[in-house]
C-alpha cells in the first residue's frame, strides 16, 4: 500500500459504513448467542477472534496473568480462577506512526447474569429483533459496541485505506467484575494517543466516571437447633442493621457532591447485590455474607473508601454482642477519573459524532465505572466512552437500538480519519 495521505469525504465514509450494516448486525447476533458470563467468556472471544481475522488482521491472545495482575496498582483482587482467560487484540496500521495519532478501540465481551431468565420475554441468549431494537443479554452492554468497532474498521478497509498510526482493537474479559482484562492489556504494553470504549452511552461522550469498590461483610454467629434458638446467635438478623449503617454512609457520600457531579441528585450508589446466609430452616444461621458495591468520586483514592467502609462496619459491630464481623475484598477496587472536557479527544470525537448523528454529543459524568479508567490512570492514554443507545442493561429484556449501533460505527470511522489520518 502506498503511503500517500488520503482524505475521503465524510459522506463517502458514512455510506461505506452504512454498507456494513448487515455484517454489524450479524456479528451482534452471533455475540449475543454466546452466554459470556463470568468464567464463560471464551466462546465469545472465539467469535471476536474470527471477526478480527475476517478484517484481514492478525488476532492475538493476551492471557490474564495472575502474578502480573497481583502486583499492578490498577488491578483488583479476585478469588476466582482465571486460567484459560484471555483478551483478544489486533492491530490495524503501522507500529510506528507515519504522522498520525494512535488509537485504541476497546470493548468487553463479558456480560452479567440474566437471571431470573424466566422474567424475560424471550430467551436472553438468543438475539431477538423487533423493529429497530435488538434484544438479548449483552446486546447493549456491550456487544453492540464491539460490533460497531469491527464495522468501522471493515468499512474503512473496504475503501482501501490504512491509518497513519496504529489502531488497536481489543475485546477484553472481566470488565463487569474486576477490570483486570483491560489492566492486562496495559501490562501488555498497549498505549495510545486516545482510547474509546464503546460502552452504551446513547452517543454521549462519557469523560468522567466514579470509582467503585466491591466488598463483602462477613457476619459469624453461633449455630444451634431452632428448638433452642436462644442458645445460638443468628448471623442473618444483624446483617440488616449493617446494611442500614452502610446506607447512612451512602447518604453522607451524596451530601454536596463535587463537580462534575454537583448537579446530580444521588451520584453515589450502594448496592447490596448478593446476600448469602444460613443453610437450614431449622438451624440458627451461623454465617451471613453481604456482597456490596459502593462508588466514590474521582480524586478520592479507593483506599480511603475502604477505610470508611471498615469504620462504618466496625462502629455498627461494636453495638452487637456475640458476633464476629469483618470486611473482605474480592473484585472491583478502582478510582474514578475525569478527562478535561477541553481535551483534543473530546473535541474531535464530538465533531465526528456530530457528523454521524447530526447532533453534538453531550458530555456526561457516569455514575458507573468502565475500563476507560485503566487506560487513563495507568496507561498514559486519554480515554472516553462513546457507544450506542441501550436500555435495561443488567436488567430484564435488555435491548439496543440498531440505528445507534451503525451511527457509533460511523462516528468511529470518521474519527479514525481525523485522528489517525489515512493512507491509501
Ligand atoms: Zn459495560
Amino acid at each position: 500500500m502506498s503511503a500517500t495521505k488520503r482524505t475521503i469525504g465524510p459522506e463517502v465514509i458514512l455510506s461505506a459504513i452504512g454498507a456494513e450494516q448487515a455484517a454489524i448486525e450479524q456479528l451482534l447476533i452471533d455475540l449475543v448467542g454466546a452466554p459470556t458470563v463470568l468464567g464463560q467468556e471464551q466462546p465469545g472471544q472465539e467469535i471476536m477472534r474470527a471477526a478480527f481475522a475476517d478484517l484481514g488482521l492478525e488476532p492475538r491472545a493476551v492471557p490474564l496473568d495472575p502474578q502480573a495482575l497481583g502486583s499492578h496498582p490498577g488491578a483488583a483482587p479476585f478469588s476466582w480462577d482465571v486460567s484459560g482467560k484471555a483478551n483478544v487484540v489486533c492491530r490495524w496500521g503501522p507500529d510506528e506512526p507515519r504522522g498520525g495519532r494512535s488509537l485504541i478501540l476497546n470493548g468487553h465481551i463479558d456480560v452479567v447474569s440474566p437471571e431470573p431468565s424466566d422474567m424475560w420475554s424471550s430467551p436472553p441468549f438468543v438475539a431477538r429483533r423487533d423493529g429497530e431494537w435488538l434484544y438479548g443479554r449483552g446486546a447493549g452492554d456491550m456487544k453492540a459496541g464491539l460490533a460497531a468497532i469491527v464495522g468501522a474498521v471493515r468499512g474503512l478497509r473496504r475503501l482501501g485505506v490504512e491509518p497513519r498510526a496504529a489502531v488497536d482493537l481489543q475485546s477484553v474479559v472481566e470488565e463487569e467484575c474486576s477490570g483486570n482484562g483491560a489492566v492486562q492489556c496495559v501490562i501488555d504494553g498497549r498505549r495510545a494517543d486516545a482510547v474509546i470504549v464503546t460502552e452504551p452511552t446513547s452517543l454521549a461522550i462519557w469523560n468522567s466516571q466514579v470509582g467503585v469498590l466491591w466488598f463483602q461483610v462477613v457476619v459469624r454467629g453461633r449455630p444451634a437447633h431452632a428448638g433452642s434458638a436462644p442458645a445460638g446467635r443468628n448471623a442473618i438478623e444483624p446483617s440488616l442493621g449493617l446494611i442500614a449503617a452502610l446506607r447512612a454512609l451512602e447518604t453522607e457520600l451524596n451530601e454536596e457532591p463535587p463537580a462534575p457531579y454537583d448537579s446530580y441528585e444521588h451520584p453515589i450508589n450502594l448496592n447490596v447485590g448478593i446476600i448469602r446466609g444460613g443453610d437450614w430452616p431449622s438451624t440458627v444461621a451461623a454465617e451471613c455474607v453481604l456482597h456490596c458495591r459502593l462508588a466514590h468520586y474521582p480524586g478520592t483514592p479507593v483506599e480511603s473508601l475502604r477505610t470508611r467502609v471498615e469504620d462504618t462496619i466496625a462502629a455498627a459491630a461494636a453495638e452487637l454482642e456475640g458476633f464476629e464481623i469483618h470486611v473482605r475484598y474480592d473484585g472491583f477496587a478502582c478510582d474514578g477519573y475525569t478527562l478535561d472536557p477541553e481535551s483534543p479527544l473530546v473535541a474531535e470525537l464530538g465533531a465526528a459524532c456530530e457528523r454521524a448523528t447530526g447532533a453534538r454529543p453531550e458530555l456526561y459524568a457516569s455514575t458507573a465505572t468502565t475500563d476507560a479508567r485503566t487506560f487513563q490512570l495507568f496507561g498514559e492514554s486519554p480515554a472516553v466512552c462513546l457507544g450506542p443507545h441501550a436500555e435495561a442493561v443488567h436488567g430484564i429484556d435488555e435491548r439496543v437500538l440498531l440505528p445507534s449501533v451503525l451511527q457509533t460505527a460511523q462516528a468511529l470511522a470518521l474519527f479514525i480519519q481525523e485522528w489517525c489520518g489515512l493512507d491509501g
Side-chain angles (χ1 to χ4, degrees):
M1 183 169 296
S2 76
T4 315
K5 185 161 186 195
R6 189 168 148 200
T7 303
I8 303 173
E11 63 294 334
V12 175
I13 291 183
L14 291 173
S15 73
I17 306 305
E20 300 300 331
Q21 185 168 4
I24 292 171
E25 288 177 20
Q26 189 57 51
L27 176 56
L28 174 55
I29 287 166
D30 293 346
L31 287 171
V32 169
T36 50
V37 293
L38 182 64
Q40 295 176 48
E41 299 94 335
Q42 279 318 112
Q45 292 295 58
E46 288 309 316
I47 295 170
M48 287 308 297
R49 166 177 281 275
F52 289 162
D54 192 48
L55 293 171
L57 304 174
E58 281 175 33
R60 188 167 69 80
V62 178
L64 293 201
D65 173 353
Q67 231 173 344
L69 289 167
S71 58
H72 192 280
F78 58 96
S79 62
W80 53 88
D81 184 17
V82 299
S83 52
K85 281 199 195 202
N87 305 312
V88 178
V89 303
C90 66
R91 171 163 289 180
W92 181 36
D95 292 334
E96 290 303 320
R98 295 192 293 256
R101 289 166 289 178
S102 60
L103 174 64
I104 290 171
L105 298 174
N106 169 290
H108 64 84
I109 195 74
D110 55 315
V111 299
V112 297
S113 161
E115 295 304 329
S117 54
D118 65 359
M119 290 174 73
W120 287 63
S121 308
S122 57
F125 292 116
V126 180
R128 174 172 63 89
R129 191 173 171 163
D130 185 359
E132 294 191 322
W133 293 95
L134 190 113
Y135 290 80
R137 169 56 84 234
D141 186 9
M142 58 164 287
K143 289 171 169 175
L146 284 168
I149 288 171
V150 171
V153 174
R154 216 179 138 90
L156 288 175
R157 278 180 72 81
R158 275 192 206 276
L159 290 172
V161 292
E162 174 167 293
R164 295 169 69 85
V167 177
D168 283 333
L169 314 185
Q170 302 178 341
S171 173
V172 300
V173 296
E174 293 216 0
E175 191 275 345
E176 297 284 6
C177 56
S178 65
N180 288 348
V183 174
Q184 193 72 58
C185 282
V186 168
I187 293 171
D188 188 51
R190 301 285 126 171
R191 300 279 184 282
D193 297 315
V195 180
I196 302 170
V197 179
T198 51
E199 291 277 4
T201 68
S202 299
L203 289 151
I205 294 176
W206 291 3
N207 68 315
S208 185
Q209 57 181 244
V210 296
V212 163
L213 178 65
W214 276 13
F215 59 94
Q216 299 175 11
V217 182
V218 183
V219 181
R220 295 198 138 187
R222 190 166 59 240
H225 192 288
S228 49
R233 305 296 277 167
N234 191 320
I236 292 175
E237 294 183 29
S239 300
L240 304 177
L242 298 175
I243 293 173
L246 291 168
R247 284 277 170 227
L249 170 61
E250 179 195 32
T251 301
E252 253 175 62
L253 292 168
N254 280 294
E255 280 163 13
E256 297 184 28
Y261 293 92
D262 43 351
S263 62
Y264 288 49
E265 189 99 345
H266 199 274
I268 298 296
N269 292 302
L270 166 73
N271 186 54
V272 184
I274 305 173
I275 180 165
R276 278 208 181 94
D279 60 2
W280 200 250
S282 291
T283 299
V284 172
E287 185 177 80
C288 184
V289 184
L290 307 170
H291 295 239
C292 306
R293 172 269 192 207
L294 183 59
H296 63 119
Y297 299 109
T300 63
V302 70
E303 200 46 54
S304 71
L305 184 63
R306 279 199 181 113
T307 304
R308 291 191 75 168
V309 166
E310 287 169 23
D311 289 352
T312 299
I313 294 299
E319 312 273 300
L320 300 164
E321 253 175 65
F323 296 96
E324 262 177 53
I325 297 170
H326 70 277
V327 178
R328 69 185 179 205
Y329 302 99
D330 196 14
F332 282 122
C334 64
D335 292 347
Y337 82 91
T338 299
L339 175 66
D340 183 354
E342 305 296 322
S343 77
L345 167 56
V346 172
E348 293 184 37
L349 182 58
C353 193
E354 183 170 5
R355 225 173 259 143
T357 66
R360 191 84 183 172
E362 308 226 331
L363 278 188
Y364 181 73
S366 171
T367 54
T369 185
T370 75
D371 278 336
R373 69 179 180 274
T374 300
F375 299 98
Q376 172 86 26
L377 296 173
F378 301 99
E380 300 149 28
S381 311
V384 295
C385 297
L386 177 124
H389 176 62
E391 292 179 352
V393 298
H394 293 220
I396 300 297
D397 290 341
E398 175 179 351
R399 62 180 189 167
V400 67
L401 190 62
L402 289 167
S404 75
V405 185
L406 187 64
Q407 286 176 325
T408 299
Q410 289 172 321
L412 293 177
L414 291 166
F415 179 76
I416 289 171
Q417 165 156 281
E418 289 304 314
W419 190 261
C420 311
L422 296 173
D423 282 342

